[in-house]
Amino acid sequence: MQTTSQLKRLGLFDARVPRYTSYPTAPHFKAGIGAETLSDWIGAIPAHEAVSLYVHIPFCRRLCWFCACRTQGTTTAEPVAAYVNSLKQELATIKDLLADGIKLEHLHWGGGTPTLLQPEMIADLTEAILATSPLAKGAQFSVEIDPSEIDDPRLDALADAGMNRASIGVQDFDPMIQEVIGRPQSYEVTKQAVDGLRARGINSLNMDILYGLPHQNTARITDSVEKLISLGPDRVALFGYAHVPWVARRQTLIPTEALPSAEERLELYNTARDLFIAAGYDEIGIDHFALPSDGLAKAHKAGTMKRNFQGYTEDASKVMIGVGASSIARYPQGYAQNEPATSKYQAAVRDGRLAGAKGHVFTDEDLARGRVIEELLCYFRVDFAKLAAEFDRPAEDFLSMVDGLEQAMPDTTDLDGTTLVIRPEARPVARMIARHFDDYEMNESGHSQAV
């Protein structure tokens, strides 16, 4: 078993490494992936393909201090209504480019706070999405929900729209911690939202909780996790809070002296992890937990689980179209990100153009290394012979990537023939091991800590 001192020697408590929800990671995106490239990539999607669609809603009624996402505050409905109109224009442009018969396998609304939309906006946006591409049979339609920004009319509108999975942010239930991170949200308010969803037949729930928040200790995180478990989510993301005030200025409001030490963060994670496992959840990758009946747990056991910008997913679509300001899309050819600034995004779609601003064109090496990293973070192992067949390359090409790993991360992996396995006790440094296969220069800005 790796001790805390061994993990410290490996750099766990000092290194900043990506979460690798993409490869290469977003800081390596470059300008030049604009409207023309996007049009070509969308137009090249084969007819009758099953694709995914991500819709980004950047608005929030309140700006939580812990959050490093691209969001903006609003107290009125006018900018939100204007933004929905922009989404509709972007969707209409995309529709004109799509081949016949394309259907949505996964639809996700994120943000920001999608539940900020008024009921008529929810219906209007859904109509525009389904006019662009209908949902496939058995499609998953998920929405990120702020329990403090939801009511019966909006729940009715989401249920009528076809939402069948809800993602609820919890972060922490301790009132004092909530006050320090600018996120007041009582257990009672959260339970009311959960009950409202289930009353409408929406029983697929995933929740997010954070460790490493100011003033957190094992007693407090135990209380929060036990309360979360009592709500019965079938999937949980246990994320480490990343304190990056140079990226998200609002985080300067959080007292750094109240943050737990790196060693304490690891203890907080292990406490929460043990509680989820004891409650019957399967451990999925580096930071997810799912009940055995959940689709993610089934995909994990079947070896079909993937990793994308939403984290771990059973979504096997080759295409994820992104709409909205700052949204990121993935196509077989590469990544494309829309204009991050809402004003620039809206100006582009108002002119009838796609709003692509930057991205990355895949090389063969990107695809190969990306798969190695994905396999390691999904399953803590990678079969290089299998990847060699998948990419029609010699296994030696992949095996050569391992050179230097033992020196950089001693006693963390085993190479058995053509299969590399991360030792169970070394899983806390899985992202650091994955970093060894990253062929791009590290850019510290925006990367979260490994624990």
Side-chain angles (χ1 to χ4, degrees), residues 418-436:
T418 60
T419 300
L420 182 72
V421 179
I422 298 177
R423 296 179 183 178
E425 63 271 20
R427 289 178 180 179
V429 294
R431 283 195 282 154
M432 296 178 66
I433 294 168
R435 171 65 183 91
H436 177 81

PDB file of all heavy atoms in Angstrom, residues 418-436:
ATOM      1  N   THR A 418       2.220  -6.831 -23.254  1.00  0.00           N
ATOM      2  CA  THR A 418       1.812  -5.576 -23.908  1.00  0.00           C
ATOM      3  C   THR A 418       0.748  -4.839 -23.103  1.00  0.00           C
ATOM      4  O   THR A 418       0.118  -3.919 -23.616  1.00  0.00           O
ATOM      5  CB  THR A 418       1.270  -5.855 -25.322  1.00  0.00           C
ATOM      6  OG1 THR A 418       0.138  -6.730 -25.231  1.00  0.00           O
ATOM      7  CG2 THR A 418       2.334  -6.475 -26.209  1.00  0.00           C
ATOM      8  N   THR A 419       0.550  -5.233 -21.865  1.00  0.00           N
ATOM      9  CA  THR A 419      -0.475  -4.591 -21.030  1.00  0.00           C
ATOM     10  C   THR A 419       0.172  -3.833 -19.880  1.00  0.00           C
ATOM     11  O   THR A 419       0.946  -4.405 -19.105  1.00  0.00           O
ATOM     12  CB  THR A 419      -1.462  -5.623 -20.471  1.00  0.00           C
ATOM     13  OG1 THR A 419      -2.104  -6.301 -21.554  1.00  0.00           O
ATOM     14  CG2 THR A 419      -2.524  -4.942 -19.616  1.00  0.00           C
ATOM     15  N   LEU A 420      -0.141  -2.537 -19.785  1.00  0.00           N
ATOM     16  CA  LEU A 420       0.341  -1.702 -18.691  1.00  0.00           C
ATOM     17  C   LEU A 420      -0.780  -1.543 -17.675  1.00  0.00           C
ATOM     18  O   LEU A 420      -1.909  -1.195 -18.038  1.00  0.00           O
ATOM     19  CB  LEU A 420       0.765  -0.326 -19.207  1.00  0.00           C
ATOM     20  CG  LEU A 420       1.328   0.637 -18.163  1.00  0.00           C
ATOM     21  CD1 LEU A 420       2.720   0.186 -17.720  1.00  0.00           C
ATOM     22  CD2 LEU A 420       1.375   2.069 -18.715  1.00  0.00           C
ATOM     23  N   VAL A 421      -0.495  -1.809 -16.409  1.00  0.00           N
ATOM     24  CA  VAL A 421      -1.494  -1.743 -15.339  1.00  0.00           C
ATOM     25  C   VAL A 421      -1.004  -0.789 -14.258  1.00  0.00           C
ATOM     26  O   VAL A 421       0.152  -0.854 -13.830  1.00  0.00           O
ATOM     27  CB  VAL A 421      -1.741  -3.135 -14.724  1.00  0.00           C
ATOM     28  CG1 VAL A 421      -2.757  -3.052 -13.587  1.00  0.00           C
ATOM     29  CG2 VAL A 421      -2.204  -4.121 -15.793  1.00  0.00           C
ATOM     30  N   ILE A 422      -1.885   0.109 -13.821  1.00  0.00           N
ATOM     31  CA  ILE A 422      -1.585   0.960 -12.672  1.00  0.00           C
ATOM     32  C   ILE A 422      -1.893   0.165 -11.410  1.00  0.00           C
ATOM     33  O   ILE A 422      -3.000  -0.373 -11.260  1.00  0.00           O
ATOM     34  CB  ILE A 422      -2.421   2.253 -12.699  1.00  0.00           C
ATOM     35  CG1 ILE A 422      -2.088   3.083 -13.947  1.00  0.00           C
ATOM     36  CG2 ILE A 422      -2.179   3.092 -11.437  1.00  0.00           C
ATOM     37  CD1 ILE A 422      -2.927   4.345 -14.090  1.00  0.00           C
ATOM     38  N   ARG A 423      -0.933   0.058 -10.533  1.00  0.00           N
ATOM     39  CA  ARG A 423      -1.141  -0.692  -9.304  1.00  0.00           C
ATOM     40  C   ARG A 423      -2.264  -0.046  -8.478  1.00  0.00           C
ATOM     41  O   ARG A 423      -2.390   1.175  -8.447  1.00  0.00           O
ATOM     42  CB  ARG A 423       0.148  -0.734  -8.487  1.00  0.00           C
ATOM     43  CG  ARG A 423       1.286  -1.469  -9.179  1.00  0.00           C
ATOM     44  CD  ARG A 423       2.552  -1.468  -8.335  1.00  0.00           C
ATOM     45  NE  ARG A 423       3.656  -2.123  -9.035  1.00  0.00           N
ATOM     46  CZ  ARG A 423       4.880  -2.232  -8.546  1.00  0.00           C
ATOM     47  NH1 ARG A 423       5.158  -1.726  -7.329  1.00  0.00           N
ATOM     48  NH2 ARG A 423       5.827  -2.839  -9.241  1.00  0.00           N
ATOM     49  N   PRO A 424      -3.079  -0.876  -7.813  1.00  0.00           N
ATOM     50  CA  PRO A 424      -4.206  -0.324  -7.037  1.00  0.00           C
ATOM     51  C   PRO A 424      -3.791   0.772  -6.061  1.00  0.00           C
ATOM     52  O   PRO A 424      -4.480   1.787  -5.924  1.00  0.00           O
ATOM     53  CB  PRO A 424      -4.762  -1.548  -6.311  1.00  0.00           C
ATOM     54  CG  PRO A 424      -4.412  -2.700  -7.200  1.00  0.00           C
ATOM     55  CD  PRO A 424      -3.076  -2.354  -7.802  1.00  0.00           C
ATOM     56  N   GLU A 425      -2.657   0.581  -5.403  1.00  0.00           N
ATOM     57  CA  GLU A 425      -2.245   1.571  -4.412  1.00  0.00           C
ATOM     58  C   GLU A 425      -1.741   2.862  -5.060  1.00  0.00           C
ATOM     59  O   GLU A 425      -1.577   3.886  -4.388  1.00  0.00           O
ATOM     60  CB  GLU A 425      -1.153   0.986  -3.506  1.00  0.00           C
ATOM     61  CG  GLU A 425       0.144   0.622  -4.204  1.00  0.00           C
ATOM     62  CD  GLU A 425       0.158  -0.802  -4.727  1.00  0.00           C
ATOM     63  OE1 GLU A 425      -0.939  -1.382  -4.883  1.00  0.00           O
ATOM     64  OE2 GLU A 425       1.265  -1.328  -4.971  1.00  0.00           O
ATOM     65  N   ALA A 426      -1.486   2.832  -6.377  1.00  0.00           N
ATOM     66  CA  ALA A 426      -0.987   4.017  -7.079  1.00  0.00           C
ATOM     67  C   ALA A 426      -2.091   4.766  -7.821  1.00  0.00           C
ATOM     68  O   ALA A 426      -1.812   5.752  -8.507  1.00  0.00           O
ATOM     69  CB  ALA A 426       0.115   3.614  -8.060  1.00  0.00           C
ATOM     70  N   ARG A 427      -3.328   4.316  -7.688  1.00  0.00           N
ATOM     71  CA  ARG A 427      -4.409   4.979  -8.416  1.00  0.00           C
ATOM     72  C   ARG A 427      -4.578   6.454  -8.075  1.00  0.00           C
ATOM     73  O   ARG A 427      -5.023   7.231  -8.933  1.00  0.00           O
ATOM     74  CB  ARG A 427      -5.720   4.209  -8.210  1.00  0.00           C
ATOM     75  CG  ARG A 427      -5.704   2.875  -8.938  1.00  0.00           C
ATOM     76  CD  ARG A 427      -6.959   2.054  -8.713  1.00  0.00           C
ATOM     77  NE  ARG A 427      -6.886   0.793  -9.436  1.00  0.00           N
ATOM     78  CZ  ARG A 427      -7.829  -0.140  -9.418  1.00  0.00           C
ATOM     79  NH1 ARG A 427      -8.942   0.057  -8.704  1.00  0.00           N
ATOM     80  NH2 ARG A 427      -7.673  -1.256 -10.107  1.00  0.00           N
ATOM     81  N   PRO A 428      -4.237   6.896  -6.861  1.00  0.00           N
ATOM     82  CA  PRO A 428      -4.318   8.341  -6.611  1.00  0.00           C
ATOM     83  C   PRO A 428      -3.434   9.180  -7.537  1.00  0.00           C
ATOM     84  O   PRO A 428      -3.692  10.380  -7.710  1.00  0.00           O
ATOM     85  CB  PRO A 428      -3.861   8.467  -5.146  1.00  0.00           C
ATOM     86  CG  PRO A 428      -4.228   7.156  -4.533  1.00  0.00           C
ATOM     87  CD  PRO A 428      -3.974   6.148  -5.615  1.00  0.00           C
ATOM     88  N   VAL A 429      -2.399   8.582  -8.131  1.00  0.00           N
ATOM     89  CA  VAL A 429      -1.530   9.332  -9.037  1.00  0.00           C
ATOM     90  C   VAL A 429      -1.792   8.952 -10.498  1.00  0.00           C
ATOM     91  O   VAL A 429      -0.936   9.144 -11.366  1.00  0.00           O
ATOM     92  CB  VAL A 429      -0.032   9.138  -8.688  1.00  0.00           C
ATOM     93  CG1 VAL A 429       0.275   9.743  -7.335  1.00  0.00           C
ATOM     94  CG2 VAL A 429       0.360   7.661  -8.724  1.00  0.00           C
ATOM     95  N   ALA A 430      -2.988   8.446 -10.789  1.00  0.00           N
ATOM     96  CA  ALA A 430      -3.314   7.992 -12.153  1.00  0.00           C
ATOM     97  C   ALA A 430      -3.158   9.113 -13.175  1.00  0.00           C
ATOM     98  O   ALA A 430      -2.659   8.893 -14.288  1.00  0.00           O
ATOM     99  CB  ALA A 430      -4.730   7.425 -12.195  1.00  0.00           C
ATOM    100  N   ARG A 431      -3.575  10.327 -12.813  1.00  0.00           N
ATOM    101  CA  ARG A 431      -3.457  11.422 -13.774  1.00  0.00           C
ATOM    102  C   ARG A 431      -1.998  11.800 -14.015  1.00  0.00           C
ATOM    103  O   ARG A 431      -1.637  12.230 -15.114  1.00  0.00           O
ATOM    104  CB  ARG A 431      -4.262  12.632 -13.295  1.00  0.00           C
ATOM    105  CG  ARG A 431      -5.761  12.459 -13.519  1.00  0.00           C
ATOM    106  CD  ARG A 431      -6.486  13.756 -13.391  1.00  0.00           C
ATOM    107  NE  ARG A 431      -6.678  14.128 -11.997  1.00  0.00           N
ATOM    108  CZ  ARG A 431      -6.821  15.376 -11.569  1.00  0.00           C
ATOM    109  NH1 ARG A 431      -6.756  16.371 -12.415  1.00  0.00           N
ATOM    110  NH2 ARG A 431      -7.021  15.625 -10.296  1.00  0.00           N
ATOM    111  N   MET A 432      -1.167  11.650 -12.995  1.00  0.00           N
ATOM    112  CA  MET A 432       0.257  11.925 -13.182  1.00  0.00           C
ATOM    113  C   MET A 432       0.893  10.877 -14.082  1.00  0.00           C
ATOM    114  O   MET A 432       1.781  11.181 -14.883  1.00  0.00           O
ATOM    115  CB  MET A 432       0.958  11.976 -11.823  1.00  0.00           C
ATOM    116  CG  MET A 432       0.465  13.115 -10.941  1.00  0.00           C
ATOM    117  SD  MET A 432       1.276  13.109  -9.340  1.00  0.00           S
ATOM    118  CE  MET A 432       2.959  13.471  -9.822  1.00  0.00           C
ATOM    119  N   ILE A 433       0.432   9.632 -13.966  1.00  0.00           N
ATOM    120  CA  ILE A 433       0.909   8.582 -14.867  1.00  0.00           C
ATOM    121  C   ILE A 433       0.431   8.866 -16.294  1.00  0.00           C
ATOM    122  O   ILE A 433       1.191   8.748 -17.256  1.00  0.00           O
ATOM    123  CB  ILE A 433       0.428   7.207 -14.372  1.00  0.00           C
ATOM    124  CG1 ILE A 433       1.083   6.875 -13.020  1.00  0.00           C
ATOM    125  CG2 ILE A 433       0.718   6.120 -15.397  1.00  0.00           C
ATOM    126  CD1 ILE A 433       0.479   5.681 -12.307  1.00  0.00           C
ATOM    127  N   ALA A 434      -0.840   9.267 -16.409  1.00  0.00           N
ATOM    128  CA  ALA A 434      -1.376   9.615 -17.730  1.00  0.00           C
ATOM    129  C   ALA A 434      -0.580  10.761 -18.351  1.00  0.00           C
ATOM    130  O   ALA A 434      -0.368  10.803 -19.577  1.00  0.00           O
ATOM    131  CB  ALA A 434      -2.850   9.983 -17.615  1.00  0.00           C
ATOM    132  N   ARG A 435      -0.136  11.697 -17.510  1.00  0.00           N
ATOM    133  CA  ARG A 435       0.633  12.844 -17.998  1.00  0.00           C
ATOM    134  C   ARG A 435       1.893  12.391 -18.725  1.00  0.00           C
ATOM    135  O   ARG A 435       2.367  13.069 -19.647  1.00  0.00           O
ATOM    136  CB  ARG A 435       0.982  13.766 -16.816  1.00  0.00           C
ATOM    137  CG  ARG A 435       1.978  14.897 -17.146  1.00  0.00           C
ATOM    138  CD  ARG A 435       1.368  15.879 -18.138  1.00  0.00           C
ATOM    139  NE  ARG A 435       2.329  16.907 -18.519  1.00  0.00           N
ATOM    140  CZ  ARG A 435       3.149  16.809 -19.559  1.00  0.00           C
ATOM    141  NH1 ARG A 435       3.163  15.713 -20.289  1.00  0.00           N
ATOM    142  NH2 ARG A 435       3.967  17.801 -19.860  1.00  0.00           N
ATOM    143  N   HIS A 436       2.441  11.259 -18.357  1.00  0.00           N
ATOM    144  CA  HIS A 436       3.645  10.750 -19.017  1.00  0.00           C
ATOM    145  C   HIS A 436       3.401  10.520 -20.511  1.00  0.00           C
ATOM    146  O   HIS A 436       4.339  10.591 -21.317  1.00  0.00           O
ATOM    147  CB  HIS A 436       4.098   9.444 -18.352  1.00  0.00           C
ATOM    148  CG  HIS A 436       5.296   8.823 -19.010  1.00  0.00           C
ATOM    149  ND1 HIS A 436       6.589   9.239 -18.756  1.00  0.00           N
ATOM    150  CD2 HIS A 436       5.394   7.817 -19.928  1.00  0.00           C
ATOM    151  CE1 HIS A 436       7.425   8.523 -19.488  1.00  0.00           C
ATOM    152  NE2 HIS A 436       6.734   7.654 -20.199  1.00  0.00           N
TER     153      HIS A 436
END
